[in-house]
Amino acid sequence: MMNSGRQSSIAFFLPTLTAGGAERVIMNLAQGMSERGIRVDLVVATATGAFLEQIPSTVRLIDLKASRVISSLVPLIAYLRRERPRALIASMSHANVVALWAGRLARSGTPIIATVHTTMSQYGPQQSFVARRLWPRLLRAFYPWAARVVAVSRGAADDLARTTGLARDQIEVVYNPVITPAVLAGARQPLDHPWFAPGQPPVILGAGRLTAAKDFPTLVRAFAEVRRCRSARLLILGEGEERPRLESLARELELNGDFALPGYSENATAYMARCAVFVLSSAWEGLPTVLVEALAAGARVVSTDCRSGPREILGDGHLGALVPVGDVSSLSAAILAALSQGPSATSMESLRLFTRDAAVDHYLQIVEQAQ
């Protein structure tokens, strides 16, 4: 039976609310739609993670209480049959596949929109041999069930088409809703950190999950070269399994008190607005939201030219330096050059496509077309 009170809702499906780029995107979309008076459900396999406390009061949380994403299939089917939302927007490959199966089995008429936040060809090598062979075939088999497939950058869309065999014209590109009123307000908030006090050495900033994809070891090694040339400090915001490796590397390079891993920050843009240089050292990305946030906060940026996103965001290098992936010397040289330059002069007009309003408009258009 249709729930008439919520029949016009739009639902988002995620594994958890861990503090990551994809999760932040969905939180921004949910809030943006909710502020327009649209009923929004945030459906999660397991209600855990740092973003749990940031859900707007106008967004309804649906906790499927599943131990794993695959275990959420049956409760997700029940949700779709009970609530019949206008659309279910899923994120991340395993959640996309579960959502597509649930949509097929529920027979509720709800269109399923699968969104891809990374580059499959770069992510695969980090998985087992079976997973590397299986995932492209699974996605090629199941993504045609989606009412729409959305990628967060042209590079991610091109990569998905190459990896899975999907026709490129079947994949729509919607840039992440990174720039929000909260992001801009956060950049103006005071920052109580001794490294940012007047007269202190310039701070080089990195931010993101401490994972292999972010390749922070290359940034740490590049910073060691920078510090041989001039006084500076390196601060990386984020948490993850690479922390022990980074701490060990810092000790090996004798960075002493000039390197810090303070963990996850709820307001990274306050750091971005005050750092001397923001650096993205990733080996691969889908569309790095932190790079857009840093530009919006007024930071001068340096980024690896990884697949995919940085080149699109930085306008082929006009808005920030691009260096080869994993190249310590090139990264340190670009950081040194950025430290010698003045503040960034990036205009908000150049970042318009990354605003929340632009993304919400685009997703609502996709939902309408999927009906």
Side-chain angles (χ1 to χ4, degrees):
M1 180 181 295
M2 181 181 291
N3 184 331
S4 59
R6 306 238 3 139
Q7 60 184 318
S8 62
S9 65
I10 292 176
F12 294 91
F13 177 54
L14 281 168
T16 68
L17 290 172
T18 302
E23 292 84 356
R24 185 183 297 279
V25 166
I26 297 308
M27 292 288 288
N28 286 342
L29 283 172
Q31 183 164 0
M33 290 184 184
S34 178
E35 289 179 0
R36 297 191 186 189
I38 299 169
R39 298 176 186 269
V40 176
D41 283 351
L42 187 57
V43 185
V44 293
T46 309
T48 59
F51 287 148
L52 190 60
E53 302 302 319
Q54 299 182 29
I55 300 173
S57 60
T58 52
V59 173
R60 186 172 68 155
L61 175 66
I62 306 293
D63 182 6
L64 300 181
K65 302 183 186 299
S67 58
R68 301 175 61 191
V69 175
I70 187 64
S71 304
S72 67
L73 176 62
V74 172
L76 184 57
I77 292 170
Y79 165 80
L80 291 173
R81 288 175 175 170
R82 182 178 69 251
E83 302 293 340
R84 296 180 182 269
R86 284 172 58 195
L88 178 70
I89 301 171
S91 293
M92 293 183 279
S93 298
H94 50 324
N96 286 339
V97 170
V98 168
L100 290 167
W101 264 110
R104 177 63 64 96
L105 296 174
R107 299 179 181 276
S108 64
T110 296
I112 310 299
I113 298 168
T115 64
V116 179
H117 292 261
T118 190
T119 47
M120 286 295 301
S121 66
Q122 298 296 312
Y123 182 59
Q126 305 303 311
Q127 298 176 311
S128 67
F129 174 79
V130 173
R132 292 201 307 271
R133 296 293 298 272
L134 183 62
W135 269 116
R137 295 181 181 183
L138 283 174
L139 301 187
R140 185 172 188 173
F142 297 137
Y143 275 16
W145 294 1
R148 292 289 188 277
V149 177
V150 176
V152 297
S153 67
R154 294 193 303 272
D158 294 344
D159 183 85
L160 181 65
R162 285 193 302 268
T163 304
T164 65
L166 286 171
R168 176 61 178 83
D169 60 8
Q170 293 179 335
I171 306 168
E172 191 147 0
V173 174
V174 183
Y175 288 126
N176 287 339
V178 179
I179 304 173
T180 66
V183 165
L184 297 176
R188 296 189 294 268
Q189 291 297 311
L191 180 60
D192 183 20
H193 191 291
W195 283 12
F196 294 89
Q200 294 298 306
V203 176
I204 299 159
L205 181 69
R209 286 184 184 170
L210 308 184
T211 63
K214 305 304 180 185
D215 193 15
F216 285 125
T218 290
L219 174 54
V220 173
R221 292 188 175 95
F223 170 67
E225 290 192 3
V226 167
R227 210 180 59 147
R228 295 190 192 105
C229 300
R230 60 170 298 168
S231 175
R233 286 168 171 161
L234 173 63
L235 188 148
I236 300 176
L237 300 173
E239 201 53 79
E241 63 268 20
E242 289 275 296
R243 173 181 281 274
R245 180 187 177 191
L246 294 172
E247 292 173 336
S248 175
L249 180 60
R251 288 192 296 270
E252 176 188 328
L253 296 173
E254 299 181 347
L255 299 182
N256 304 321
D258 291 332
F259 171 68
L261 290 170
Y264 169 73
S265 170
E266 290 187 2
N267 187 16
T269 50
Y271 290 84
M272 294 170 179
R274 292 162 178 82
C275 70
V277 184
F278 180 84
V279 181
L280 184 88
S281 55
S282 297
W284 70 90
E285 289 279 355
L287 187 88
T289 58
V290 291
L291 196 56
V292 180
E293 288 175 342
L295 289 170
R300 185 166 292 283
V301 302
V302 171
S303 175
T304 52
D305 192 13
C306 68
R307 293 184 180 176
S308 58
R311 180 167 287 275
E312 290 177 51
I313 293 169
L314 297 179
D316 292 325
H318 293 296
L319 301 181
L322 289 163
V323 301
V325 172
D327 189 328
V328 173
S329 296
S330 293
L331 186 59
S332 63
I335 293 171
L336 283 167
L339 286 172
S340 67
Q341 296 168 346
S344 170
T346 303
S347 70
M348 288 304 297
E349 179 58 28
S350 64
L351 302 174
R352 184 185 60 80
L353 290 176
F354 303 102
T355 63
R356 188 177 67 186
D357 280 345
V360 169
D361 286 343
H362 204 156
Y363 269 100
L364 290 178
Q365 182 182 44
I366 290 171
V367 168
E368 187 65 29
Q369 293 169 347
Q371 301 302 306

